[in-house]
Amino acid sequence: FATVTGQSFNNAGRAMWVANLKQGIGGITSANDAAYMTYKNGVTSIIAQKGDNFFGFGALALGAQANAIYRLALSNSDQVVWIGTVAGAGVTILNDQFLAVSTIADDGSVTHRLVLREGDQVPDRAPGLLWGGDAGSNDFTNPTQIAINASGIVVFSCRLTGTGITTSTPLSRGND
């Protein structure tokens, strides 16, 4: 590792961190030099790595943003909720962020579940009410505003856009 930041631990013995990987070793380049990583019972896993393609959206853009903000939270049931930013064909500033839950098995394998993508319709709300803010805004505003409990319930805060939305219209929602 070049640097390790954002360390967290759960009551089940899992450690998690954001790693800047040293370029020039093991195929690491500027295209894949950052990762969310985890360790438990002698097994180290990569949850998400810069350059990975998530949910078919495009290349994951971990790096300075992720390392500075630590946009993730670890539950006591070995699940991580995290905010990703992607780049690629069809990706704009209006749909480049997503919220995902990754589950880490005892063998170190990782599965991912999409909670929401910026620009998508907010479920159970009026048509046209979308997750995300205006162009250039930071839609997920603060890392302490995402959380996951041991049952996998996610709570978060983000901006919304659509008819009737103003800067004073909050909506927080846990996943079903």
Side-chain angles (χ1 to χ4, degrees):
F1 305 117
T3 60
V4 173
T5 55
Q7 300 90 344
S8 61
F9 305 89
N10 69 13
N11 291 335
R14 182 162 305 278
M16 184 178 156
W17 63 93
V18 179
N20 284 319
L21 306 173
K22 189 163 177 72
Q23 293 182 20
I25 296 176
I28 300 299
T29 69
S30 61
N32 63 356
D33 65 352
Y36 292 152
M37 300 186 75
T38 182
Y39 173 88
K40 182 177 179 181
N41 297 332
V43 179
T44 302
S45 299
I46 294 176
I47 297 167
Q49 187 169 358
K50 180 180 174 182
D52 287 350
N53 188 314
F54 271 84
F55 309 110
F57 297 159
L60 188 61
L62 291 178
Q65 178 186 26
N67 291 312
I69 302 176
Y70 316 129
R71 297 159 61 123
L72 46 85
L74 176 63
S75 79
N76 285 328
S77 60
D78 293 341
Q79 293 181 309
V80 178
V81 60
W82 56 283
I83 297 168
T85 301
V86 292
V91 177
T92 71
I93 198 162
L94 298 175
N95 67 358
D96 65 343
Q97 293 185 348
F98 65 90
L99 185 67
V101 172
S102 298
T103 302
I104 308 107
D106 288 339
D107 67 0
S109 61
V110 181
T111 57
H112 305 285
R113 175 175 54 91
L114 179 67
V115 176
L116 68 92
R117 182 178 184 186
E118 178 185 19
D120 283 351
Q121 172 70 39
V122 176
D124 306 323
R125 299 292 182 212
L129 183 60
L130 308 177
W131 298 116
D134 300 328
S137 69
N138 183 5
D139 296 318
F140 297 94
T141 56
N142 186 318
T144 61
Q145 293 176 311
I146 63 170
I148 185 169
N149 70 11
S151 298
I153 303 297
V154 173
V155 179
F156 62 94
S157 175
C158 81
R159 297 177 189 266
L160 302 173
T161 56
T163 306
I165 298 296
T166 68
T167 57
S168 62
T169 309
L171 174 69
S172 295
R173 177 190 169 100
N175 62 310
D176 299 325

